[in-house]
Amino acid sequence: MEDSTPLKQKIQHQELGETGRPWEEMVTASQDPEPALSEASELEQGPETGPQPRSSPPGILQSGASTPVDDLVGPGVSSPPSPSQEPSSTPSPLAPAVQDLMAPWQSDKTTSVISEAGTPHFDHLEQSSDNGESTPHQTCQSEGNTFHQSQQTKCHLYGPRDVSYNNSKRKELRFDIFQEEDSNSNYDLDQPESGASEVAPSMLEIAIQNAKAYLLKSSSKSGLNLYDHLSEMLTKVLDKRPENAVDIIENVSQDVKMEHFSIKLDTLQNENEMLPAYEIAEKQKALFLQGNLEGADQEMEDEIAEHSLPNVMESAFYFEQAGVGLGTDETYRIFLALKQLTDTHPIQKCRFWGKILGLEMNYIVAEVEFREGEDEEEVEEEDEPEERDNGDNEANEDELPRSFYKAPQSIPKEESRTGANKYVYFVCNEPGRPWVKLPGVTPAQIVIARKIKKFFTGRLDTPIVSYPPFPGNESNYLRAQIARISAGTQVSPLGFYHFGEEEGEEEEETEGRRDSFEENPDFEGIQVIDLVESLSNWVHHVQHILPQGRCNWFNPIQKSEEEEAAEAEEEEEEEEREEPDYIEQEVGPPLLTPISEDLEIQNIPPWTTRLSSNLIPQYAIAVLRSNLWTGAYAFSNGKKPWQRGLKKTSAEGLR
Amino acid sequence: MDEESLLLSLELASGSGQGLSPDRRASLLTSLMLVKRDYRFDRVLFWGRILGLVADYYIAQGLSEDQLAPRKTLYRWRRRPGWLRPQDDTEEPGASEGQEGVGASLNCMEWSLLPPATEEMEMQTSVVKGRFMGDPSHAYEHTELQKVNEGEKVFEEEVVVQIKEETRLVSIIDQIDKAVAVIPRGALFKTPFGPIRVNRTFEGLSLSEAKKLSSYFHFREPVELKNKTLLEKADLDPSLDFMDSLEHDIPKGSWSIQMERGNTLVVLRSLLWPGLTFYHAPRTKNYGYIYVGTGEKNIDLPFML
């Protein structure tokens, strides 16, 4: 009941407030209101308990529009100024006007609600003693009772409404309405007898009363009752106004039921669930604030930062042209994280290498070169070539035959800053998290990494279970893969780098392999079209990793000779001495070899080139994509500063 | 991903590293709109991109009202300057209605319909390995030993079977869809009359649901549903749980589920078909999947886990 009345009030209020002057037209439209109007004034006076049963079915619909209803109560209570100003004599034009306004203004349901709301008025009409117009009242009632809203009913609704507002008995009315609105209570029981008993309830009323009582029965399972549920459902539908509401009404019903239970738990759950999001946001906020925190060192760091921090956003822009990228926001955060890295470590050169996807978390990799002489010491792992213990230290008590097997000498890893360890790599899981330095890579790791294929989990200390067994955990495997990828896919346009003029020894012991290169100041750039069409315009600028696992050939013979001298002479030694002689020096393509020399993989070319855009070729860039390592890209825009970059996914090659 | 929310979807799926360049994005937005009008699709999804050696294929799919009905697939690819000129792409073999059609285009704006995938196609293309060339008319050659009866002699002859790349494209797309197309639970519902509809009141998965694999379904006709025990079926809601969930996929662990950006985005990546990314922002209506990859199944998966 409440719903109906406030609804009507709201509608009235809105109508009056918003629609301004259309009343007059409305007035002409409806014809019935007059008799009802005077009745309406009296209707409101009595308690509305009598009509309650009748209005309950309408009430159902009305409660469906509870939201507007609630709003209605507010304005309704304050009673719109316009109706209040109107003398009682003028409510008739008002009422129909309002009503008619309402009818087109609202959806069918709302109008039905309104009309529902109207029925109590009719009930009131009934109750009021001065009803000579029981006829219109009756008709209205019956119409209302059938839940079919006719214009007349509506008219009546508004008519009485208006009148009631104008009445000084507004307050009483409201009070009654609230009483009626108490849908949770058992209407049948709470009916104040005074108003209701004025007119003996007809059969129809009783039927309605019973129907309503049934609808209000609470379910034993869920504690809801159909009355409330339907009203909530209709409220929701009216609020949201979805298309084809009738088709999705079952879903709406389900949602309402679900919502009903989750309300109380909301506060608790939300706190827990969103925590990780807040955490990471805090960390990333720290990234953004970082620049402001350091005052004194700002200048010095700026200097260095110029050299060491790359312009990640610029390269990201070019990569985006190629269709490769992490999204602007993410890239910016990575940029800031790199800045943080350069601020905390003495770094000469830094570059965003790429991102490796893992099962649980991903890795963001930065390639870094420390400043001269400021290498951080690395934890020494076992480097010494070991031999299997031949049982010298053991007493000869056990009679197991001694094995003369001498494990092949493990090849020492390359010094830092040379070969595969030329750069140091830092990884982090997400920008904002601390950067972790990856250990240097040993040749053995590279050799085995070539034979296995495993996913990364995202945690650096995960053991790698594989065959052949990988010496190390995930951080070593990651480092080995990074080394392989860098060696295989870092390319530059021909001529951008050239060998330095001065070199200490051109002919080294190993072979005339040049390790270093410099930027060529005279580089003029190659046309983008040329870069795309011919692969010989690109060269590798990272040393190829030999099958041995190093870039510079390490001859295991020499050392083993030294060791041989320390051992007792045995026959096997002599044999061993002969073996190393057969080891040939492994040779790989020298630095700065054009990539057209790369081997094909299973009949497909190892690189794919294309222009970033066919439509605007004059500003397009040349993009090179590796087919061996899917996810490695290089681009060049044909002018002087070119870029190479890698975005690596899943870190598996074809091998 | 829905073409209506293409830009947002691309942003959300960008964590995998592969996206679209601005000119592609712009051309996609316009051309997908036109495709929707011309073919009278209810929804057009941008399915993804298959990387080829020479050129890439861009694939789109059109859905009719019933979301689970066979979809029409369209592709387009770009001819690169200086490379082989493709024939006029007027071939629309058997592009009938209600079946899958893949659209290909020459100049990035036009789409061609692909024929529906059949079992035979799948068998044929299972022998082709390696990357896509990028040219739909390229023919793979595969030599088979076939028994040929000549009179009374039976001998084996090597027959070279030609398989067109377009066929291979169709069957790969179909396989990927059947294997790894993902939809969150509650996004579609089954009406009592049969057809599947988009659930307009889908508000997104809650955070705890979003982390579980069981809240995601395969976007295809259910295969395993019938095998469930009655006890399991009793808990299912027939209007929402009418597809297979990802939970029981073999091999176990073939999905990588990650939360990005704190807890505001959940990303599922398939390890069986690397390149398939499904993203969903919990508590919102945004979800979608995109495939950007070479179109090769990762058969080493059990060894890599």
Side-chain angles (χ1 to χ4, degrees):
Chain A
M1 294 295 285
E2 278 180 2
D3 295 348
S4 57
T5 38
L7 175 64
K8 285 185 292 175
Q9 295 173 12
K10 178 186 184 177
I11 296 166
Q12 285 183 346
H13 175 63
Q14 290 180 352
E15 298 285 359
L16 297 166
E18 298 159 10
T19 53
R21 283 292 133 198
W23 301 341
E24 279 112 13
E25 307 152 46
M26 295 305 186
V27 179
T28 51
S30 72
Q31 299 175 3
D32 248 342
E34 271 121 41
L37 289 176
S38 46
E39 296 168 1
S41 46
E42 277 113 3
L43 277 179
E44 307 307 316
Q45 298 170 14
E48 305 190 347
T49 55
Q52 277 173 14
R54 214 175 296 190
S55 52
S56 53
I60 295 168
L61 283 177
Q62 288 160 9
S63 50
S66 55
T67 323
V69 167
D70 293 336
D71 296 342
L72 286 178
V73 176
V77 169
S78 52
S79 102
S82 31
S84 59
Q85 289 159 9
E86 312 248 343
S88 335
S89 52
T90 54
S92 39
L94 259 185
V98 172
Q99 185 149 33
D100 289 342
L101 281 174
M102 294 213 29
W105 174 65
Q106 294 239 343
S107 66
D108 291 344
K109 284 217 169 102
T110 323
T111 47
S112 64
V113 173
I114 297 165
S115 42
E116 297 288 0
T119 47
H121 295 289
F122 292 107
D123 295 335
H124 296 308
L125 277 172
E126 259 189 335
Q127 292 166 13
S128 58
S129 46
D130 39 309
N131 274 349
E133 311 76 3
S134 51
T135 335
H137 169 64
Q138 293 279 353
T139 46
C140 289
Q141 277 181 345
S142 50
E143 286 171 8
N145 291 340
T146 51
F147 294 84
H148 294 303
Q149 317 314 332
S150 62
Q151 277 296 326
Q152 288 194 338
T153 334
K154 293 173 198 163
C155 289
H156 292 298
L157 274 175
Y158 286 102
R161 252 306 142 219
D162 249 332
V163 177
S164 63
Y165 276 109
N166 298 333
N167 254 338
S168 55
K169 317 233 169 150
R170 241 174 282 141
K171 288 188 184 166
E172 283 177 40
L173 177 66
R174 259 182 283 130
F175 172 72
D176 296 332
I177 296 168
F178 288 142
Q179 273 191 339
E180 293 176 359
E181 297 281 336
D182 187 10
S183 55
N184 287 329
S185 62
N186 212 341
Y187 277 54
D188 294 332
L189 300 174
D190 291 347
Q191 291 178 15
E193 305 77 4
S194 48
S197 54
E198 280 186 58
V199 179
S202 68
M203 288 300 296
L204 210 44
E205 284 182 47
I206 296 178
I208 294 170
Q209 222 165 336
N210 290 340
K212 189 171 179 188
Y214 169 69
L215 289 171
L216 280 169
K217 214 170 13 171
S218 298
S219 148
S220 52
K221 205 170 60 162
S222 57
L224 295 175
N225 62 45
L226 187 56
Y227 190 100
D228 292 334
H229 181 65
L230 282 173
S231 35
E232 280 172 34
M233 245 175 60
L234 288 169
T235 312
K236 191 165 178 179
V237 169
L238 285 172
D239 283 342
K240 301 210 172 146
R241 307 292 176 118
E243 301 263 329
N244 300 332
V246 63
D247 293 328
I248 58 165
I249 197 70
E250 288 88 7
N251 281 13
V252 176
S253 167
Q254 269 185 350
D255 287 339
V256 169
K257 280 191 185 151
M258 290 196 309
E259 276 170 19
H260 183 84
F261 290 113
S262 66
I263 291 173
K264 292 166 201 154
L265 302 176
D266 251 356
T267 51
L268 259 181
Q269 279 183 0
N270 279 344
E271 293 280 355
N272 291 339
E273 284 174 352
M274 292 302 279
L275 267 179
Y278 296 143
E279 268 178 36
I280 198 78
E282 286 281 328
K283 288 207 182 92
Q284 293 179 349
K285 180 177 156 190
L287 268 184
F288 287 96
L289 287 180
Q290 178 201 309
N292 302 336
L293 293 175
E294 312 195 3
D297 294 334
Q298 197 71 23
E299 295 178 13
M300 195 176 78
E301 282 185 327
D302 277 350
E303 272 183 41
I304 299 176
E306 283 174 14
H307 300 296
S308 62
L309 191 61
N311 192 348
V312 172
M313 296 310 288
E314 188 185 342
S315 8
F317 166 74
Y318 284 113
F319 275 117
E320 199 194 345
Q321 303 293 312
V324 175
L326 286 178
T328 328
D329 303 330
E330 194 67 20
T331 321
Y332 193 75
R333 277 189 222 116
I334 292 176
F335 193 18
L336 285 178
L338 280 178
K339 177 166 188 299
Q340 188 191 51
L341 181 67
T342 52
D343 288 345
T344 46
H345 294 84
I347 288 175
Q348 168 85 12
K349 261 196 297 184
C350 167
R351 196 176 71 87
F352 173 51
W353 186 91
K355 178 175 176 181
I356 293 197
L357 301 178
L359 293 182
E360 292 163 28
M361 287 187 286
N362 305 324
Y363 291 117
I364 297 186
V365 182
E367 183 183 79
V368 147
E369 197 174 316
F370 282 116
R371 270 183 249 145
E372 295 282 342
E374 295 209 32
D375 265 357
E376 296 184 3
E377 291 190 2
E378 296 176 2
V379 176
E380 284 287 321
E381 298 172 7
E382 48 128 2
D383 288 344
E384 313 261 330
E386 289 180 3
E387 297 177 6
R388 280 271 304 271
D389 191 34
N390 280 354
D392 286 344
N393 298 336
E394 288 179 14
N396 285 345
E397 290 163 3
D398 73 19
E399 301 187 352
L400 293 175
R402 287 194 291 171
S403 127
F404 299 118
Y405 171 71
K406 224 166 129 181
Q409 177 189 14
S410 67
I411 302 167
K413 74 175 184 188
E414 291 175 292
E415 295 294 313
S416 13
R417 298 177 164 280
T418 62
N421 281 325
K422 183 162 184 199
Y423 295 105
V424 178
Y425 293 92
F426 281 83
V427 293
C428 76
N429 282 123
E430 252 185 290
R433 301 230 177 168
W435 289 92
V436 177
K437 180 160 172 268
L438 286 181
V441 64
T442 67
Q445 289 170 352
I446 292 192
V447 166
I448 301 210
R450 282 178 167 145
K451 297 182 187 161
I452 65 176
K453 205 168 159 191
K454 295 287 277 181
F455 281 121
F456 290 103
T457 59
R459 281 172 285 115
L460 284 174
D461 48 0
T462 322
I464 303 276
V465 177
S466 65
Y467 184 77
F470 185 79
N473 58 16
E474 183 158 311
S475 54
N476 304 101
Y477 183 51
L478 180 62
R479 180 67 181 80
Q481 293 288 79
I482 292 177
R484 287 173 70 203
I485 295 172
S486 299
T489 55
Q490 293 206 8
V491 294
S492 57
L494 179 69
F496 186 78
Y497 286 124
H498 69 150
F499 293 118
E501 299 286 328
E502 326 153 21
E503 274 194 10
E505 312 162 9
E506 295 224 351
E507 294 293 326
E508 297 177 355
E509 288 180 4
T510 50
E511 292 216 328
R513 184 172 303 117
R514 292 147 169 184
D515 287 352
S516 65
F517 50 84
E518 300 174 344
E519 272 191 41
N520 182 355
D522 304 326
F523 179 63
E524 283 158 1
I526 307 182
Q527 285 294 318
V528 164
I529 301 286
D530 293 335
L531 284 175
V532 165
E533 297 215 336
S534 157
L535 286 180
S536 55
N537 283 324
W538 296 85
V539 298
H540 287 280
H541 64 258
V542 174
Q543 275 182 313
H544 173 79
I545 300 186
L546 302 168
Q548 189 185 39
R550 289 171 52 113
C551 293
N552 299 319
W553 164 251
F554 172 77
N555 198 343
I557 311 171
Q558 299 153 0
K559 282 219 175 159
S560 64
E561 283 176 358
E562 292 170 6
E563 286 164 350
E564 281 174 10
E567 291 212 349
E569 52 293 323
E570 294 182 14
E571 292 182 16
E572 288 84 3
E573 282 184 43
E574 291 176 354
E575 289 175 8
E576 280 175 10
R577 198 181 296 137
E578 292 173 2
E579 284 175 12
D581 294 339
Y582 289 79
I583 297 180
E584 289 184 10
Q585 191 164 12
E586 292 169 11
V587 177
L591 207 52
L592 299 189
T593 333
I595 63 178
S596 46
E597 314 270 324
D598 283 359
L599 297 172
E600 277 192 0
I601 316 144
Q602 300 171 10
N603 303 334
I604 54 178
W607 296 90
T608 305
T609 63
R610 63 191 56 179
L611 270 185
S612 64
S613 150
N614 258 354
L615 302 171
I616 311 178
Q618 59 265 39
Y619 293 114
I621 57 173
V623 179
L624 198 61
R625 187 179 80 209
S626 165
N627 289 327
L628 174 58
W629 295 100
T630 51
Y633 290 85
F635 73 86
S636 165
N637 63 359
K639 305 177 188 77
K640 197 188 139 275
W642 64 276
Q643 299 277 355
R644 56 183 164 35
L646 302 174
K647 299 273 184 283
K648 192 63 193 68
T649 64
S650 313
E652 297 109 37
L654 275 188
R655 285 178 250 171
Chain B
M1 55 181 63
D2 232 328
E3 52 94 18
E4 286 154 18
S5 53
L6 190 67
L7 292 178
L8 173 65
S9 315
L10 282 175
E11 185 70 28
L12 291 176
S14 62
S16 308
Q18 301 271 10
L20 290 178
S21 60
D23 77 333
R24 290 277 171 286
R25 252 184 280 160
S27 62
L28 261 187
L29 279 176
T30 40
S31 59
L32 284 181
M33 194 72 66
L34 293 176
V35 159
K36 189 170 169 181
R37 177 200 71 186
D38 292 338
Y39 288 88
R40 297 200 184 72
F41 289 135
D42 187 49
R43 257 170 81 191
V44 171
L45 304 179
F46 176 60
W47 185 90
R49 192 166 104 169
I50 292 191
L51 309 172
L53 292 178
V54 166
D56 298 338
Y57 294 105
Y58 294 82
I59 317 283
Q61 283 189 333
L63 301 173
S64 53
E65 289 283 331
D66 185 353
Q67 305 289 322
L68 265 194
R71 296 167 228 154
K72 294 199 196 197
T73 324
L74 301 103
Y75 78 99
R76 68 174 202 205
W77 61 284
R78 200 165 59 102
R79 131 177 89 82
R80 293 175 42 219
W83 289 86
L84 26 110
R85 302 209 169 260
Q87 339 140 324
D88 281 346
D89 224 357
T90 50
E91 60 189 43
E92 301 212 342
S96 52
E97 308 178 5
Q99 299 300 321
E100 294 199 349
V102 170
S105 106
L106 294 181
N107 53 8
C108 290
M109 282 300 285
E110 292 168 359
W111 296 78
S112 319
L113 209 58
L114 271 184
T118 60
E119 288 278 337
E120 189 196 326
M121 272 190 207
E122 194 169 324
M123 272 183 25
Q124 265 189 342
T125 53
S126 58
V127 297
V128 180
K129 305 217 188 301
R131 298 282 173 83
F132 277 88
M133 277 304 294
D135 174 15
S137 50
H138 174 85
Y140 295 98
E141 295 184 348
H142 169 69
T143 57
E144 267 182 12
L145 296 178
Q146 278 186 3
K147 291 203 172 166
V148 178
N149 283 335
E150 280 204 4
E152 292 177 351
K153 288 193 221 169
V154 175
F155 59 91
E156 293 187 355
E157 204 181 85
E158 278 198 8
V159 173
V160 175
V161 176
Q162 299 243 342
I163 302 165
K164 284 187 73 179
E165 176 148 303
E166 202 179 71
T167 321
R168 186 177 173 212
L169 186 65
V170 168
S171 108
I172 291 279
I173 294 177
D174 188 56
Q175 282 178 38
I176 292 180
D177 266 344
K178 288 214 167 69
V180 288
V182 176
I183 202 129
R185 178 175 186 270
L188 301 180
F189 73 100
K190 195 166 180 173
T191 56
F193 306 110
I196 318 281
R197 296 213 184 276
V198 173
N199 183 1
R200 301 231 178 264
T201 60
F202 175 59
E203 294 281 325
L205 298 174
S206 70
L207 268 173
S208 52
E209 278 178 24
K211 293 184 191 160
K212 294 190 230 156
L213 268 186
S214 55
S215 2
Y216 301 99
F217 291 149
H218 285 282
F219 192 22
R220 59 154 197 236
E221 294 287 339
V223 167
E224 290 169 25
L225 215 50
K226 314 156 202 158
N227 298 338
K228 289 199 169 197
T229 64
L230 272 182
L231 214 57
E232 286 171 356
K233 278 198 221 171
D235 290 330
L236 300 179
D237 180 357
S239 67
L240 291 182
D241 293 302
F242 54 94
M243 292 184 279
D244 298 326
S245 99
L246 294 187
E247 213 178 5
H248 303 294
D249 270 5
I250 297 167
K252 213 164 159 125
S254 62
W255 288 94
S256 139
I257 180 164
Q258 284 180 14
M259 306 293 296
E260 293 197 358
R261 307 187 190 181
N263 266 357
T264 55
L265 183 66
V266 59
V267 176
L268 265 80
R269 291 199 183 93
S270 165
L271 303 176
L272 190 57
W273 291 94
L276 189 282
T277 311
F278 169 83
Y279 63 87
H280 173 54
R283 299 182 183 274
T284 68
K285 283 172 101 159
N286 299 323
Y287 66 87
Y289 66 90
I290 186 171
Y291 178 84
V292 180
T294 60
E296 288 169 319
K297 192 168 177 174
N298 181 15
I299 47 183
D300 295 331
L301 180 61
F303 298 105
M304 295 173 70
L305 286 177

